[in-house]
Amino acid sequence: MPQVLAIAARLHPELPERLEVLAEKRRLFPDGCRKLMAGLDMAGYGLAHPWRLNAAPRVDAFLELLPSAPDCLYLHDVAVLSEGRGRGAAGAYVVYLEGLARKLGLGHLALVSVYGTVPLWEKLGFKSVSAGAPPLPSYGPSAAYMAKKL
Ligand SMILES: CC(C)(COP(=O)(O)OP(=O)(O)OC[C@H]1O[C@@H](n2cnc3c(N)ncnc32)[C@H](O)[C@@H]1OP(=O)(O)O)[C@@H](O)C(=O)NCCC(=O)NCCS
């Protein structure tokens, strides 16, 4: 988790989250969390957990509990250091999450796109949600709620 925090601090300086908040996601739902290794070093990570559609936890907030009746797998964050990008790691993580969601009987993946990454997520099959999308005050000005029906 310290390496995850170090990557997050480099790639998300404007959306800082505490180590304990990130670690809580791994504790609550380890199957949704994956690391990308380059030799002995971590080059990226993904964090995801079951959640409710059209809802998004605030940045840097504890989840406390997972919902008792989830209907989506929420991709909280995927981050790949620049030297590891463009090799399909984020795409492979989405494919992994789709398999996991299906296994759990969850019909959607959902996420909040930041930094203008909407075109990337569209390539990976996500669509922007207009009707019913949650307010996203903690995600910065470019935030867009997106979902992928499985
Ligand atoms: C976003 C990020 C995780 C992508 O990681 P990656 O492993 O390089 O992504 P992939 O190689 O799996 O790319 C998936 C597809 O999206 C495309 N893509 C990648 N970055 C893109 C961008 N910024 N805009 C549009 N398309 C993009 C790729 O070309 C690829 O499409 P292809 O399969 O047709 O070639 C990485 O750039 C990153 O860590 N960025 C900073 C943190 C961030 O923005 N996280 C997401 C917040 S919502």
Side-chain angles (χ1 to χ4, degrees), residues 7 11-12 15 36 43-45 75-82 84-94 111-124 139 144:
I7 294 172
L11 300 187
H12 299 303
L15 297 170
L36 175 69
Y45 65 83
L75 201 177
H76 172 75
D77 187 18
V78 57
V80 177
L81 290 175
S82 52
R85 288 185 195 164
R87 298 183 190 177
Y93 181 52
V94 167
L111 56 80
V112 175
S113 158
V114 292
Y115 318 136
T117 51
V118 165
L120 156 72
W121 297 115
E122 284 176 342
K123 265 194 180 176
L124 296 173
Y139 285 80

Side-chain angles (χ1 to χ4, degrees), residues 1 21 23 29 32 40 44 48 59-60 65 68 70-71 98-99 110 112 115 121-122 137 143 145 150:
M1 291 314 296
V21 168
F29 195 65
L40 294 178
V59 170
D60 197 38
L65 286 174
S68 53
D71 54 7
E98 285 176 24
V112 175
Y115 318 136
W121 297 115
E122 284 176 342
Y145 185 76
L150 302 178

